Amino acid sequence: MNSPQLTYYDMGNRVVAFSTTRQGGCSQGNYADFNINGYCGDSEEHIAANKASLAQCLGITAHQIVMPHQVHGREVVRIDHPSQTGVEADAVMTNLPGLCIGVSTADCIPVLLYDEQQHAACAVHAGWRGTVQRIVDHAVTAMQLSYGTDPAQLRAVIGPGISLDSFEVGDEVYDSFAAAGFEMAAISRHDEKWHIDLPVCNQIQLQEAGVRAIYLSGICTYQHADRYFSARRLGIQSGRIFTAIMLK
C-alpha cells in the first residue's frame, strides 16, 4: 500500500494541516483508495490499515488521530486526551501537541483554525445545516472561552468542498439560510434552481467573527471527484476526506 497523498496547508511552522485525497490507500470501490471514516460503510480492515498508514506519515500512533462522530449540529468539543473516543460533535479543538484532530467531509465544508499565540487548534465540519447554525462562529467563540484566543490572530483554512456552481439546492434549503439572516445576494445564485456558496458563507462568518487570515482552497469536490470524495457524485456509501490539524 502506498502512503496517503495529502493536500497540505501552510498555517505556520508549529503545526501540520492537511486534507486527505482519494489516493494512497487500500480501500476499494467508492471508498478507493484512502478512507478512514468508520461511519460510511467501508471495511474495518481497510480503515485500520489506512489509519495506520496516515499515522506513520505523521509520526504518531493511530490512537492519536481523533475524529468525532458528526451529527450536523454546532457543538464544539474540547479534546484533552486521545482516549476521548466516540465524541458526537461537528467541531473539535485542542491545545495538546501530538493530537491530530480532524473532521470528515465529502462535499460539506471543512474548516481549520489555528491560534499561534495560544498554540491551539480547531477542526470544524460545516455542512449546510451546520453553516446555517453558524458553527464556525461558535468554534471561534469556543476557542476564545477555552484558550483566550484573539480572533484577529487566528489563521483559518476552508478546505475542499462543494462549490457554488455544483451545490444546487431546493427552496427549503434557500429558505433556511434566508430565515437565519444571511445576506442571500452574497451567497446564492438562481439558475433553474437555487445554488448556495458554502465556502463563501463560511468565509463571511469567519470575517464577522473577527478572523482576518482566511485561506480558501478553491477545490470543488463535486468537480474533482476523481481526487476528492463527493457524496453527490459517488453516493452516500462512499469514502470521506479527512481534513485535520496537529500541533507540533
Side-chain angles (χ1 to χ4, degrees):
M1 182 175 68
N2 297 323
S3 296
Q5 295 184 24
L6 308 178
T7 298
Y8 287 100
Y9 309 110
D10 182 5
M11 299 186 77
N13 295 328
R14 301 171 64 205
V15 66
V16 178
F18 63 89
S19 292
T20 59
T21 66
R22 295 187 63 181
Q23 284 70 47
C26 63
S27 293
Q28 299 175 356
N30 282 349
Y31 304 99
D33 295 328
F34 189 88
N35 170 67
I36 62 168
N37 184 296
Y39 303 103
C40 58
D42 197 3
S43 82
E44 293 183 6
E45 180 182 352
H46 290 159
I47 292 167
N50 287 335
K51 196 172 183 180
S53 180
L54 176 60
Q56 184 177 22
C57 182
L58 296 172
I60 59 176
T61 69
H63 295 294
Q64 290 168 274
I65 298 174
V66 178
M67 175 171 46
H69 181 201
Q70 296 158 195
V71 293
H72 293 277
R74 66 180 188 183
E75 185 174 1
V76 184
V77 172
R78 176 171 171 159
I79 304 297
D80 292 317
H81 196 278
S83 65
Q84 285 177 251
T85 57
V87 172
E88 286 197 356
D90 288 270
V92 286
M93 61 184 181
T94 193
N95 63 351
L96 293 183
L99 276 189
C100 180
I101 58 170
V103 291
S104 290
T105 59
D107 290 331
C108 294
I109 309 301
V111 180
L112 300 178
L113 302 172
Y114 174 52
D115 177 351
E116 186 174 25
Q117 287 189 335
Q118 304 299 331
H119 203 44
C122 185
V124 183
H125 162 244
W128 77 260
R129 292 178 179 84
T131 301
V132 165
Q133 296 176 72
R134 302 178 188 273
I135 186 170
V136 291
D137 184 39
H138 283 269
V140 172
T141 299
M143 292 188 73
Q144 287 179 279
L145 294 173
S146 284
Y147 308 121
T149 292
D150 176 0
Q153 299 301 317
L154 277 173
R155 298 178 185 178
V157 165
I158 297 175
I162 198 163
S163 65
L164 170 68
D165 289 341
S166 300
F167 191 41
E168 185 180 271
V169 302
D171 290 346
E172 72 284 356
V173 175
Y174 176 91
D175 291 343
S176 294
F177 279 87
F182 290 94
E183 178 54 56
M184 299 310 295
I187 65 164
S188 67
R189 184 184 76 212
H190 192 272
D191 297 330
E192 293 182 1
K193 289 189 176 181
W194 285 108
H195 290 244
I196 300 290
D197 196 330
L198 289 181
V200 166
C201 191
N202 282 282
Q203 179 188 23
I204 291 171
Q205 288 184 50
L206 288 168
Q207 290 170 337
E208 291 177 345
V211 181
R212 298 172 183 170
I214 305 170
Y215 170 77
L216 282 85
S217 70
I219 299 167
C220 176
T221 46
Y222 185 85
Q223 295 173 11
H224 298 281
D226 58 331
R227 185 156 176 80
Y228 299 92
F229 290 110
S230 168
R232 284 203 170 198
R233 270 284 174 86
L234 301 169
I236 298 298
Q237 298 298 308
S238 60
R240 300 291 187 270
I241 303 160
F242 182 59
T243 297
I245 186 165
M246 182 180 73
L247 305 173
K248 295 180 180 179

